Amino acid sequence: MKPIVWIHGDALSPQNPALLRYPKAPALWVWDDSLLKDWQISLKRVVFIYECLLELPVTIRRGDPATELRRFAQAHGADCIATTDSPSPRFNQIADAIEADFNLEICDGPEFAAIEGYVDLKRFSRYWKTAQQSAFEPTTGGY
């Protein structure tokens, strides 16, 4: 198996489980123009994400994530795309799109917060109102 690693906004850490599993694999982050527009991501958030990316061994591209992941994987002769799980519906859409062409390995990471039901992921403050109580409970690891 020859993987690449897909880095997304729910695992922006050097302790990303997919990066740890495949430390020598090329990694890719894609600025998702559609998501940035639809979710009205603020410039502050974009800068925060970019600063996180500077700490990672990652190639940065812009466009449709599924298309860019396919191109990146093909350019590196990869047959697998490894990533870390995410609760985001957009993650599921992208994952479904790339699974048609590549094996997708989703690496589980430690759960940040135990939340059941709908969670508004468009704004961190809304998410945090739902997650903060369980997020401060002791965990068995983290990234």
Side-chain angles (χ1 to χ4, degrees):
M1 182 170 65
K2 187 171 181 187
I4 64 161
V5 176
W6 167 25
I7 303 297
H8 56 74
D10 291 324
L12 288 172
S13 165
Q15 299 304 309
N16 177 314
L19 281 176
L20 294 176
R21 183 169 295 170
Y22 299 106
K24 296 186 188 233
L28 179 68
W29 163 272
V30 181
W31 288 108
D32 184 343
D33 289 331
S34 176
L35 181 86
L36 291 170
K37 180 182 175 191
D38 293 347
W39 283 21
Q40 299 176 352
I41 305 295
S42 72
L43 181 57
K44 274 184 159 180
R45 184 73 179 158
V46 169
V47 169
F48 171 78
I49 291 168
Y50 181 69
E51 288 173 343
C52 292
L53 292 171
L54 292 176
E55 297 181 18
L56 303 177
V58 64
T59 297
I60 300 171
R61 293 193 178 167
R62 182 177 171 186
D64 174 65
T67 301
E68 294 303 322
L69 284 162
R70 277 190 209 96
R71 287 181 184 154
F72 192 75
Q74 290 167 347
H76 287 86
D79 58 3
C80 175
I81 297 175
T83 192
T84 305
D85 203 7
S86 169
S88 171
R90 181 69 174 139
F91 171 87
N92 291 329
Q93 292 170 348
I94 297 164
D96 289 346
I98 59 176
E99 277 186 307
D101 301 311
F102 295 93
N103 291 323
L104 182 64
E105 180 180 346
I106 299 177
C107 303
D108 290 329
E111 187 175 64
F112 177 70
I115 302 171
E116 294 185 23
Y118 173 77
V119 178
D120 185 348
L121 299 173
K122 290 184 182 181
R123 295 281 182 261
F124 181 79
S125 60
R126 293 181 201 153
Y127 166 75
W128 186 243
K129 285 180 187 177
T130 306
Q132 73 184 45
Q133 183 175 352
S134 72
F136 285 116
E137 294 174 3
T139 62
T140 59
Y143 61 87

Coordinates of all heavy atoms in Angstrom, one line a residue, residues 6-86:
W6 N -4.5 12.9 3.9 CA -5.4 14.0 3.7 C -5.5 14.7 5.0 O -6.1 14.2 6.0 CB -6.7 13.5 3.2 CG -7.8 14.5 3.2 CD1 -7.8 15.9 3.2 CD2 -9.2 14.2 3.2 NE1 -9.1 16.4 3.2 CE2 -10.0 15.4 3.2 CE3 -9.9 13.0 3.2 CZ2 -11.3 15.4 3.3 CZ3 -11.3 13.0 3.3 CH2 -12.0 14.2 3.3
I7 N -5.1 16.0 5.1 CA -5.2 16.8 6.3 C -6.5 17.7 6.1 O -6.6 18.3 5.1 CB -4.0 17.7 6.5 CG1 -2.7 16.9 6.6 CG2 -4.2 18.6 7.7 CD1 -2.6 15.9 7.7
H8 N -7.3 17.7 7.1 CA -8.5 18.6 7.1 C -8.6 19.3 8.4 O -7.8 19.1 9.3 CB -9.8 17.7 6.8 CG -10.0 16.6 7.7 ND1 -10.4 16.8 9.0 CD2 -9.8 15.3 7.6 CE1 -10.5 15.6 9.6 NE2 -10.1 14.7 8.8
G9 N -9.6 20.2 8.5 CA -9.7 21.1 9.6 C -10.0 20.5 10.9 O -9.9 21.2 12.0
D10 N -10.3 19.2 11.0 CA -10.6 18.6 12.3 C -9.4 17.9 12.9 O -9.6 17.2 13.9 CB -11.8 17.7 12.2 CG -13.1 18.5 12.0 OD1 -13.2 19.6 12.5 OD2 -14.0 18.0 11.2
A11 N -8.3 18.0 12.2 CA -7.1 17.3 12.8 C -5.8 18.1 12.3 O -4.9 17.6 11.7 CB -7.0 15.9 12.2
L12 N -5.8 19.3 12.8 CA -4.6 20.2 12.4 C -3.6 20.2 13.5 O -3.3 21.2 14.1 CB -5.1 21.7 12.2 CG -6.0 21.9 11.0 CD1 -6.6 23.3 11.1 CD2 -5.2 21.8 9.8
S13 N -2.9 19.0 13.6 CA -2.0 18.9 14.7 C -0.8 17.9 14.2 O -1.1 17.0 13.4 CB -2.6 18.2 15.9 OG -1.7 17.7 16.8
P14 N 0.4 18.2 14.7 CA 1.4 17.2 14.4 C 1.1 15.8 15.0 O 1.7 14.9 14.6 CB 2.7 17.8 15.1 CG 2.3 19.3 15.2 CD 0.9 19.4 15.4
Q15 N 0.2 15.8 15.9 CA -0.2 14.5 16.5 C -1.4 13.8 15.7 O -2.0 12.9 16.2 CB -0.6 14.7 17.9 CG 0.6 15.2 18.8 CD 1.8 14.3 18.7 OE1 1.7 13.1 18.8 NE2 3.0 14.9 18.3
N16 N -1.7 14.4 14.5 CA -2.8 13.8 13.7 C -2.5 12.3 13.5 O -1.4 11.9 13.1 CB -2.7 14.5 12.3 CG -3.7 14.0 11.3 OD1 -3.8 12.8 11.1 ND2 -4.3 14.9 10.6
P17 N -3.5 11.4 13.8 CA -3.3 10.0 13.8 C -2.8 9.5 12.4 O -2.0 8.6 12.3 CB -4.6 9.4 14.2 CG -5.2 10.5 15.1 CD -4.8 11.8 14.5
A18 N -3.3 10.1 11.3 CA -2.9 9.7 10.0 C -1.5 10.0 9.7 O -0.7 9.2 9.1 CB -3.9 10.3 8.9
L19 N -1.1 11.2 10.1 CA 0.4 11.6 10.0 C 1.3 10.7 10.8 O 2.4 10.3 10.4 CB 0.6 13.0 10.4 CG 0.2 14.1 9.4 CD1 0.4 15.5 10.1 CD2 1.0 14.1 8.2
L20 N 0.8 10.3 12.0 CA 1.6 9.5 12.8 C 1.7 8.1 12.3 O 2.8 7.4 12.4 CB 1.1 9.4 14.3 CG 1.1 10.7 15.1 CD1 0.4 10.6 16.4 CD2 2.6 11.2 15.2
R21 N 0.7 7.6 11.7 CA 0.7 6.2 11.1 C 1.5 6.2 9.8 O 2.2 5.2 9.6 CB -0.8 5.8 10.7 CG -0.8 4.4 10.2 CD -2.1 3.8 10.1 NE -2.7 3.7 11.4 CZ -4.0 3.4 11.6 NH1 -4.8 3.2 10.6 NH2 -4.4 3.3 12.9
Y22 N 1.5 7.3 9.1 CA 2.3 7.3 7.8 C 3.2 8.6 7.8 O 3.0 9.5 7.0 CB 1.4 7.3 6.6 CG 0.5 6.1 6.5 CD1 -0.9 6.2 6.9 CD2 1.0 4.9 6.2 CE1 -1.7 5.1 6.8 CE2 0.2 3.8 6.1 CZ -1.1 3.9 6.4 OH -1.9 2.8 6.4
P23 N 4.2 8.6 8.6 CA 5.1 9.8 8.8 C 5.9 10.1 7.5 O 6.3 11.3 7.3 CB 6.0 9.4 9.9 CG 6.0 7.9 10.0 CD 4.7 7.5 9.5
K24 N 6.1 9.2 6.6 CA 6.9 9.5 5.4 C 6.0 9.7 4.2 O 6.5 10.1 3.1 CB 7.9 8.4 5.1 CG 8.9 8.3 6.2 CD 10.0 7.3 5.9 CE 10.8 7.1 7.2 NZ 12.2 7.3 7.0
A25 N 4.7 9.6 4.3 CA 3.8 9.8 3.2 C 3.6 11.3 2.9 O 3.5 12.1 3.9 CB 2.4 9.1 3.5
P26 N 3.4 11.6 1.7 CA 3.1 13.0 1.3 C 1.7 13.4 1.9 O 0.8 12.5 1.9 CB 3.1 13.1 -0.2 CG 3.6 11.7 -0.7 CD 3.6 10.8 0.5
A27 N 1.6 14.6 2.4 CA 0.3 15.0 3.0 C -0.2 16.2 2.2 O 0.6 17.1 1.7 CB 0.5 15.4 4.4
L28 N -1.5 16.4 2.2 CA -2.2 17.4 1.4 C -3.3 18.1 2.3 O -4.1 17.4 2.9 CB -2.8 16.9 0.1 CG -3.5 17.9 -0.7 CD1 -2.6 18.9 -1.3 CD2 -4.3 17.2 -1.8
W29 N -3.3 19.4 2.2 CA -4.4 20.2 2.7 C -5.0 21.0 1.5 O -4.2 21.5 0.7 CB -3.9 21.3 3.7 CG -4.9 22.4 4.0 CD1 -5.1 23.5 3.3 CD2 -6.0 22.4 4.9 NE1 -6.1 24.3 3.7 CE2 -6.7 23.6 4.8 CE3 -6.4 21.5 6.0 CZ2 -7.7 24.0 5.6 CZ3 -7.4 21.9 6.8 CH2 -8.1 23.1 6.6
V30 N -6.3 21.0 1.4 CA -7.0 21.8 0.3 C -7.9 22.8 0.9 O -8.8 22.5 1.7 CB -7.8 20.8 -0.6 CG1 -8.4 21.6 -1.7 CG2 -6.9 19.7 -1.1
W31 N -7.6 24.1 0.6 CA -8.6 25.2 0.9 C -9.8 24.9 0.1 O -9.7 25.0 -1.2 CB -8.0 26.5 0.6 CG -6.9 26.9 1.5 CD1 -5.6 27.0 1.3 CD2 -7.0 27.3 2.9 NE1 -4.9 27.4 2.4 CE2 -5.7 27.6 3.4 CE3 -8.1 27.5 3.8 CZ2 -5.5 28.1 4.7 CZ3 -7.9 27.9 5.1 CH2 -6.6 28.2 5.5
D32 N -10.9 24.6 0.7 CA -12.1 24.3 0.0 C -12.9 25.6 -0.2 O -13.6 26.1 0.7 CB -12.9 23.3 0.9 CG -14.2 22.8 0.3 OD1 -14.7 23.4 -0.6 OD2 -14.7 21.8 0.9
D33 N -12.8 26.1 -1.4 CA -13.5 27.4 -1.8 C -15.0 27.3 -1.5 O -15.5 28.3 -1.0 CB -13.2 27.7 -3.2 CG -11.8 28.1 -3.5 OD1 -11.1 28.6 -2.6 OD2 -11.3 27.9 -4.7
S34 N -15.6 26.2 -1.8 CA -17.0 26.1 -1.6 C -17.4 26.2 -0.1 O -18.3 26.9 0.3 CB -17.5 24.8 -2.2 OG -18.9 24.6 -1.9
L35 N -16.6 25.5 0.7 CA -16.9 25.5 2.2 C -16.6 26.9 2.8 O -17.4 27.4 3.6 CB -16.0 24.5 2.9 CG -16.2 24.4 4.4 CD1 -17.3 23.5 4.7 CD2 -14.9 23.9 5.1
L36 N -15.5 27.5 2.3 CA -15.2 28.8 2.8 C -16.3 29.8 2.6 O -16.7 30.7 3.4 CB -13.9 29.4 2.2 CG -12.6 28.6 2.7 CD1 -11.4 29.1 1.8 CD2 -12.3 28.9 4.1
K37 N -16.9 29.7 1.4 CA -18.0 30.6 1.0 C -19.3 30.3 1.7 O -19.9 31.1 2.3 CB -18.2 30.6 -0.5 CG -19.3 31.5 -1.0 CD -19.5 31.4 -2.5 CE -20.6 32.2 -2.9 NZ -21.0 32.0 -4.3
D38 N -19.6 29.0 1.6 CA -20.9 28.6 2.2 C -21.0 28.8 3.7 O -22.0 29.2 4.3 CB -21.2 27.1 1.9 CG -21.5 26.9 0.4 OD1 -21.7 27.8 -0.3 OD2 -21.5 25.7 0.0
W39 N -19.9 28.5 4.4 CA -19.9 28.7 5.9 C -19.4 30.0 6.3 O -19.3 30.3 7.5 CB -18.9 27.6 6.5 CG -19.6 26.2 6.5 CD1 -20.6 25.7 5.8 CD2 -19.2 25.2 7.4 NE1 -20.8 24.4 6.1 CE2 -20.0 24.0 7.1 CE3 -18.2 25.0 8.3 CZ2 -19.9 22.8 7.7 CZ3 -18.1 23.8 8.9 CH2 -18.9 22.7 8.6
Q40 N -19.1 30.9 5.4 CA -18.6 32.3 5.7 C -17.5 32.3 6.7 O -17.5 32.9 7.7 CB -19.8 33.1 6.1 CG -20.9 33.2 5.0 CD -22.1 34.0 5.5 OE1 -22.2 34.4 6.7 NE2 -23.0 34.3 4.6
I41 N -16.5 31.5 6.4 CA -15.3 31.4 7.3 C -14.6 32.7 7.4 O -14.3 33.3 6.3 CB -14.3 30.3 6.8 CG1 -15.1 28.9 6.6 CG2 -13.1 30.2 7.7 CD1 -15.6 28.3 7.9
S42 N -14.3 33.2 8.6 CA -13.7 34.5 8.7 C -12.2 34.5 8.4 O -11.6 33.4 8.4 CB -13.9 35.0 10.2 OG -13.1 34.2 11.1
L43 N -11.7 35.7 8.1 CA -10.3 35.8 7.8 C -9.5 35.4 9.1 O -8.4 34.7 8.9 CB -10.0 37.2 7.5 CG -8.5 37.5 7.1 CD1 -8.0 36.6 6.0 CD2 -8.3 39.0 6.8
K44 N -10.0 35.7 10.3 CA -9.3 35.3 11.5 C -9.1 33.7 11.5 O -8.1 33.2 11.9 CB -10.0 35.7 12.7 CG -9.7 37.1 13.2 CD -10.5 37.3 14.5 CE -9.9 38.4 15.3 NZ -10.6 38.6 16.5
R45 N -10.2 33.0 11.2 CA -10.1 31.6 11.2 C -9.2 31.0 10.1 O -8.4 30.1 10.3 CB -11.6 31.0 11.0 CG -11.6 29.5 11.0 CD -11.5 29.0 12.4 NE -11.6 27.6 12.5 CZ -11.1 26.8 13.4 NH1 -10.5 27.4 14.5 NH2 -11.3 25.5 13.4
V46 N -9.2 31.7 8.9 CA -8.3 31.3 7.8 C -6.9 31.4 8.3 O -6.0 30.6 8.1 CB -8.6 32.1 6.6 CG1 -7.5 31.9 5.5 CG2 -10.0 31.7 6.0
V47 N -6.5 32.6 8.9 CA -5.2 32.8 9.4 C -4.8 31.8 10.5 O -3.7 31.2 10.5 CB -5.0 34.2 10.0 CG1 -3.7 34.4 10.7 CG2 -5.2 35.2 8.8
F48 N -5.7 31.4 11.4 CA -5.5 30.4 12.4 C -5.1 29.1 11.8 O -4.2 28.4 12.1 CB -6.7 30.3 13.4 CG -6.5 29.1 14.3 CD1 -5.7 29.2 15.4 CD2 -7.2 27.9 14.1 CE1 -5.6 28.1 16.3 CE2 -7.1 26.9 14.9 CZ -6.3 26.9 16.0
I49 N -6.0 28.7 10.8 CA -5.7 27.4 10.1 C -4.4 27.4 9.4 O -3.6 26.5 9.5 CB -6.9 27.1 9.1 CG1 -8.2 26.8 9.9 CG2 -6.5 26.0 8.2 CD1 -9.4 26.8 9.0
Y50 N -4.1 28.5 8.7 CA -2.8 28.6 8.0 C -1.6 28.5 9.0 O -0.6 27.8 8.7 CB -2.7 29.9 7.2 CG -1.4 30.1 6.5 CD1 -1.2 29.3 5.4 CD2 -0.5 31.0 6.9 CE1 0.0 29.4 4.7 CE2 0.7 31.1 6.2 CZ 1.0 30.3 5.1 OH 2.2 30.4 4.4
E51 N -1.7 29.1 10.1 CA -0.7 29.1 11.1 C -0.5 27.6 11.6 O 0.6 27.2 11.9 CB -0.9 30.0 12.3 CG -0.7 31.5 11.9 CD -1.1 32.5 12.9 OE1 -1.8 32.1 13.9 OE2 -0.7 33.6 12.8
C52 N -1.6 26.9 11.8 CA -1.5 25.5 12.2 C -0.8 24.7 11.1 O 0.0 23.8 11.3 CB -2.9 24.9 12.4 SG -3.7 25.6 13.9
L53 N -1.2 25.0 9.8 CA -0.6 24.2 8.7 C 0.9 24.4 8.6 O 1.6 23.5 8.1 CB -1.3 24.6 7.4 CG -2.7 24.2 7.2 CD1 -3.3 24.9 6.0 CD2 -2.8 22.7 7.1
L54 N 1.4 25.6 9.0 CA 2.8 25.9 9.0 C 3.6 24.9 9.9 O 4.8 24.7 9.7 CB 3.1 27.3 9.3 CG 2.6 28.4 8.4 CD1 2.9 29.8 8.9 CD2 3.3 28.2 7.0
E55 N 3.0 24.3 10.8 CA 3.6 23.3 11.7 C 3.6 21.9 11.2 O 4.1 21.0 11.8 CB 3.0 23.4 13.1 CG 3.1 24.7 13.8 CD 2.5 24.7 15.2 OE1 2.2 23.7 15.7 OE2 2.2 25.8 15.7
L56 N 3.0 21.7 10.0 CA 2.8 20.3 9.5 C 3.6 20.1 8.2 O 3.8 21.1 7.5 CB 1.3 20.1 9.2 CG 0.4 20.3 10.4 CD1 -1.1 20.0 9.9 CD2 0.7 19.3 11.5
P57 N 4.0 18.9 8.0 CA 4.7 18.6 6.7 C 3.6 18.3 5.6 O 3.3 17.2 5.2 CB 5.4 17.3 7.0 CG 4.5 16.6 8.0 CD 3.9 17.7 8.8
V58 N 3.1 19.4 5.1 CA 1.9 19.4 4.2 C 2.0 20.3 3.0 O 2.6 21.3 3.1 CB 0.6 19.7 5.0 CG1 0.6 21.1 5.5 CG2 -0.6 19.4 4.2
T59 N 1.5 19.8 1.9 CA 1.4 20.6 0.7 C 0.0 21.3 0.8 O -1.0 20.6 1.1 CB 1.5 19.7 -0.6 OG1 2.7 19.1 -0.6 CG2 1.2 20.5 -1.9
I60 N 0.0 22.5 0.4 CA -1.3 23.3 0.5 C -1.8 23.6 -0.9 O -1.0 24.1 -1.8 CB -1.1 24.6 1.3 CG1 -0.6 24.3 2.7 CG2 -2.4 25.4 1.3 CD1 -0.2 25.5 3.5
R61 N -3.0 23.3 -1.2 CA -3.6 23.6 -2.5 C -5.0 24.3 -2.3 O -5.5 24.3 -1.1 CB -3.8 22.3 -3.3 CG -2.5 21.7 -3.8 CD -2.7 20.7 -4.9 NE -1.5 20.2 -5.3 CZ -1.4 19.1 -6.0 NH1 -2.4 18.4 -6.4 NH2 -0.2 18.7 -6.4
R62 N -5.6 24.7 -3.3 CA -6.9 25.4 -3.3 C -7.8 24.8 -4.4 O -7.3 24.6 -5.5 CB -6.7 26.9 -3.5 CG -7.9 27.7 -3.4 CD -7.6 29.1 -3.5 NE -8.8 29.9 -3.6 CZ -8.9 31.2 -3.9 NH1 -7.8 31.8 -4.1 NH2 -10.1 31.7 -4.0
G63 N -9.1 24.6 -4.0 CA -10.0 24.1 -5.0 C -11.0 23.1 -4.4 O -11.3 23.1 -3.2
D64 N -11.4 22.2 -5.3 CA -12.3 21.1 -4.8 C -11.5 20.1 -4.2 O -10.6 19.5 -4.8 CB -13.1 20.6 -6.0 CG -13.9 19.4 -5.6 OD1 -14.9 19.5 -4.8 OD2 -13.6 18.3 -6.1
P65 N -11.7 19.7 -2.9 CA -10.9 18.8 -2.2 C -10.8 17.4 -2.9 O -9.7 16.8 -3.0 CB -11.5 18.7 -0.8 CG -12.1 20.0 -0.6 CD -12.7 20.4 -2.0
A66 N -11.9 16.9 -3.3 CA -11.9 15.5 -4.0 C -11.1 15.5 -5.2 O -10.2 14.6 -5.5 CB -13.3 15.1 -4.3
T67 N -11.2 16.6 -6.0 CA -10.4 16.7 -7.3 C -8.9 16.8 -6.9 O -8.1 16.1 -7.5 CB -10.9 17.9 -8.1 OG1 -12.2 17.7 -8.4 CG2 -10.0 18.1 -9.3
E68 N -8.6 17.7 -6.0 CA -7.2 17.9 -5.6 C -6.6 16.7 -5.0 O -5.4 16.4 -5.2 CB -7.0 19.1 -4.7 CG -7.4 20.4 -5.4 CD -6.5 20.7 -6.7 OE1 -5.3 20.4 -6.7 OE2 -7.1 21.2 -7.7
L69 N -7.3 16.0 -4.2 CA -6.8 14.7 -3.5 C -6.5 13.7 -4.6 O -5.5 13.0 -4.5 CB -7.8 14.2 -2.5 CG -7.9 14.9 -1.2 CD1 -9.1 14.7 -0.4 CD2 -6.6 14.6 -0.4
R70 N -7.4 13.6 -5.6 CA -7.2 12.6 -6.7 C -5.9 13.0 -7.4 O -5.1 12.1 -7.7 CB -8.4 12.6 -7.7 CG -9.5 11.7 -7.3 CD -10.5 11.6 -8.4 NE -11.8 11.4 -7.9 CZ -12.7 12.4 -7.6 NH1 -12.5 13.6 -8.0 NH2 -13.9 12.1 -7.1
R71 N -5.7 14.2 -7.8 CA -4.5 14.7 -8.5 C -3.3 14.4 -7.7 O -2.3 13.9 -8.2 CB -4.6 16.2 -8.8 CG -5.6 16.5 -9.9 CD -5.6 18.0 -10.2 NE -6.7 18.3 -11.1 CZ -7.3 19.5 -11.2 NH1 -7.0 20.5 -10.4 NH2 -8.2 19.7 -12.1
F72 N -3.3 14.7 -6.4 CA -2.2 14.6 -5.6 C -1.8 13.1 -5.4 O -0.6 12.7 -5.5 CB -2.5 15.2 -4.2 CG -1.3 15.4 -3.3 CD1 -0.3 16.4 -3.5 CD2 -1.1 14.6 -2.2 CE1 0.7 16.5 -2.7 CE2 0.0 14.7 -1.3 CZ 0.9 15.7 -1.6
A73 N -2.8 12.3 -5.2 CA -2.6 10.8 -5.1 C -2.0 10.3 -6.4 O -1.0 9.5 -6.3 CB -3.9 10.1 -4.7
Q74 N -2.5 10.6 -7.5 CA -2.0 10.1 -8.8 C -0.6 10.6 -9.0 O 0.2 9.8 -9.5 CB -3.0 10.6 -9.9 CG -4.3 9.9 -9.9 CD -5.3 10.5 -10.8 OE1 -5.2 11.6 -11.3 NE2 -6.4 9.8 -11.0
A75 N -0.3 11.9 -8.7 CA 1.0 12.4 -8.9 C 2.1 11.6 -8.0 O 3.2 11.6 -8.4 CB 1.1 13.9 -8.6
H76 N 1.6 11.1 -6.9 CA 2.5 10.4 -6.0 C 2.4 8.9 -6.1 O 3.0 8.1 -5.4 CB 2.3 10.8 -4.5 CG 2.8 12.2 -4.2 ND1 2.0 13.3 -4.5 CD2 4.0 12.6 -3.8 CE1 2.7 14.4 -4.1 NE2 3.9 14.0 -3.7
G77 N 1.7 8.4 -7.1 CA 1.5 7.0 -7.3 C 0.8 6.3 -6.2 O 1.1 5.1 -5.9
A78 N 0.0 7.0 -5.5 CA -0.7 6.4 -4.3 C -1.9 5.6 -4.7 O -2.6 5.8 -5.6 CB -1.1 7.5 -3.3
D79 N -2.1 4.6 -3.8 CA -3.3 3.8 -4.0 C -4.3 3.9 -2.8 O -5.3 3.2 -2.8 CB -3.0 2.3 -4.3 CG -2.2 1.7 -3.2 OD1 -1.9 2.4 -2.1 OD2 -1.8 0.5 -3.3
C80 N -3.9 4.7 -1.8 CA -4.7 4.8 -0.6 C -4.6 6.3 -0.1 O -3.5 6.9 -0.3 CB -4.1 3.9 0.5 SG -4.9 4.1 2.1
I81 N -5.7 6.8 0.4 CA -5.7 8.1 1.0 C -6.0 7.9 2.5 O -7.1 7.3 2.8 CB -6.7 9.0 0.4 CG1 -6.3 9.3 -1.1 CG2 -6.8 10.3 1.1 CD1 -7.3 10.1 -1.9
A82 N -5.1 8.2 3.4 CA -5.3 8.1 4.8 C -5.7 9.4 5.4 O -5.1 10.5 5.0 CB -4.0 7.6 5.5
T83 N -6.6 9.4 6.3 CA -7.1 10.7 7.0 C -7.6 10.4 8.3 O -7.6 9.2 8.8 CB -8.1 11.4 6.1 OG1 -8.3 12.7 6.6 CG2 -9.4 10.7 6.1
T84 N -8.0 11.4 9.1 CA -8.5 11.2 10.4 C -10.0 11.5 10.3 O -10.4 12.4 9.6 CB -7.8 12.2 11.4 OG1 -6.4 12.0 11.3 CG2 -8.3 12.0 12.8
D85 N -10.8 10.8 11.1 CA -12.2 10.9 11.1 C -12.7 12.3 11.5 O -11.9 13.1 12.1 CB -12.8 9.9 12.1 CG -14.2 9.6 11.8 OD1 -14.7 10.0 10.7 OD2 -14.9 8.9 12.5
S86 N -13.8 12.7 11.0 CA -14.4 14.0 11.3 C -15.9 13.9 11.4 O -16.5 13.1 10.6 CB -14.1 14.9 10.1 OG -14.8 16.1 10.2

